[in-house]
């Protein structure tokens, strides 16, 4: 059972995690969270995912790994219920891609301690090559349902300037931003990833939060309603991202 190593660019973005309390938002089966706990020496890693299937898979794979806890919950709901509990929160094509950032970002600010860090990777443009959105709005993207049928899921593919505005609005200073280009493999289309490292503003107080209900899964079969998709969204989506 191997751990999934973070590449050097991602490692530079997260910074030193030794002894930190860390949460992965949309952890899937927990491969990256297991790596952070074992190799990057975080004191505690909380792998949060709303999918029952992925939560169970992660526990089956990594049950008993030192410092690693699996939580079956909506990421925003968990964050809001645990104020000032985290040093670092991160998302690798996870919850910040598939949840409304206007809900998730202020929730992350609640959970992070003053000066805490939020790190995330997200698509810099659509897999089709279309440019990102210039406003905070999602698009329906193709995804595959557990029974093999095609469906759609909401994904927020936003321009870097939109992310920067959202981070500032919800209590974060951008410390680092970068775009990594992947030429694609085996005939795949090129894709670019945007990496952000942001720090919770000190002395900004608690962010203003509206009442929040845990959303139902946004995944739905093409042409109608039906069973929700299981698994980490970026692993289900066509083209893997």
């Amino acid at each position: 059972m191997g751990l999934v190593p973070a590449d050097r660019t991602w490692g530079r973005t997260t910074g030193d995690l030794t002894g930190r309390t860390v949460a992965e938002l949309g952890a899937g089966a927990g491969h990256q969270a297991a790596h952070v706990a074992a190799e990057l020496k975080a004191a505690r890693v909380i792998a949060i995912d709303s999918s029952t299937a992925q939560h169970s898979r992660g526990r089956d794979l990594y049950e008993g790994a030192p410092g690693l806890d699996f939580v079956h919950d909506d990421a925003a709901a968990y964050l809001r219920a645990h104020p000032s509990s985290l040093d670092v929160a991160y998302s690798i094509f996870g919850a910040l891609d598939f949840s409304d950032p206007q809900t998730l970002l202020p929730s992350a600010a609640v959970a992070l301690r003053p000066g805490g860090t939020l790190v995330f990777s997200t698509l810099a443009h659509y897999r089709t090559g279309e440019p990102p959105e210039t406003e905070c709005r999602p698009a329906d993207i193709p995804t595959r349902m557990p029974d093999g049928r095609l469906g759609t899921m909401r994904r927020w593919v936003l321009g870097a300037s939109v992310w920067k505005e959202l981070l500032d609005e919800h209590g974060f200073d951008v410390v680092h931003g970068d775009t990594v280009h992947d030429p694609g493999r085996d005939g795949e289309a090129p894709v670019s990833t945007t990496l952000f490292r942001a720090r919770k503003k000190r002395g900004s107080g608690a962010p203003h939060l509206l009442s929040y209900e845990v959303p139902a899964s946004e995944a739905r079969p093409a042409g109608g309603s039906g069973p929700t998709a299981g698994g980490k969204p970026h692993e289900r989506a066509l083209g893997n991202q």
Side-chain angles (χ1 to χ4, degrees):
M1 176 178 65
L3 301 179
V4 176
D7 64 28
R8 285 175 289 181
T9 300
W10 179 254
R12 289 196 301 268
T13 305
T14 58
D16 184 11
L17 300 181
T18 305
R20 303 300 183 100
T21 300
V22 179
E24 180 172 0
L25 313 179
H31 304 306
Q32 186 67 39
H35 171 77
V36 171
E39 303 297 329
L40 301 187
K41 308 303 181 185
R44 184 187 181 205
V45 181
I46 305 155
I48 307 167
D49 204 280
S50 61
S51 163
T52 300
Q54 288 290 74
H55 173 72
S56 297
R57 184 180 175 214
R59 293 190 65 177
D60 289 344
L61 288 171
Y62 300 110
E63 185 87 67
L68 178 60
D69 296 324
F70 285 88
V71 172
H72 180 214
D73 203 352
D74 172 77
Y78 178 88
L79 294 169
R80 292 185 62 172
H82 295 80
S84 301
S85 62
L86 301 176
D87 298 303
V88 178
Y90 71 91
S91 170
I92 304 176
F93 303 110
L96 267 170
D97 269 34
F98 297 92
S99 303
D100 188 344
Q102 296 183 97
T103 297
L104 193 52
L105 288 176
S107 299
V110 168
L112 287 166
R113 299 178 178 121
T117 302
L118 174 66
V119 180
F120 62 98
S121 63
T122 185
L123 289 180
H125 56 76
Y126 286 100
R127 293 284 300 187
T128 60
E130 292 295 314
E133 303 294 336
T134 57
E135 301 176 11
C136 183
R137 61 188 178 198
D140 287 336
I141 60 136
T143 192
R144 196 171 294 280
M145 310 299 287
D147 61 6
R149 289 182 297 163
L150 293 180
T152 61
M153 191 170 203
R154 292 203 304 170
R155 186 171 195 163
W156 279 258
V157 180
L158 310 179
S161 62
V162 180
W163 281 115
K164 290 175 182 177
E165 290 175 5
L166 288 167
L167 288 163
D168 179 67
E169 177 183 350
H170 295 298
F172 290 94
D173 289 319
V174 175
V175 176
H176 174 79
D178 194 12
T179 300
V180 179
H181 302 283
D182 181 351
R185 302 178 301 276
D186 300 326
E188 293 179 349
V191 65
S192 297
T193 298
T194 300
L195 305 176
F196 277 109
R197 182 180 184 186
R199 183 177 295 123
K200 180 178 175 179
K201 296 178 181 179
R202 294 183 181 272
S204 60
H208 175 66
L209 292 172
L210 301 175
S211 60
Y212 174 65
E213 294 183 5
V214 176
S217 171
E218 298 292 345
R220 53 193 182 277
S225 59
T228 58
K232 193 169 183 178
H234 81 271
E235 294 172 344
R236 291 196 307 274
L238 302 182
N240 295 327
Q241 291 181 1

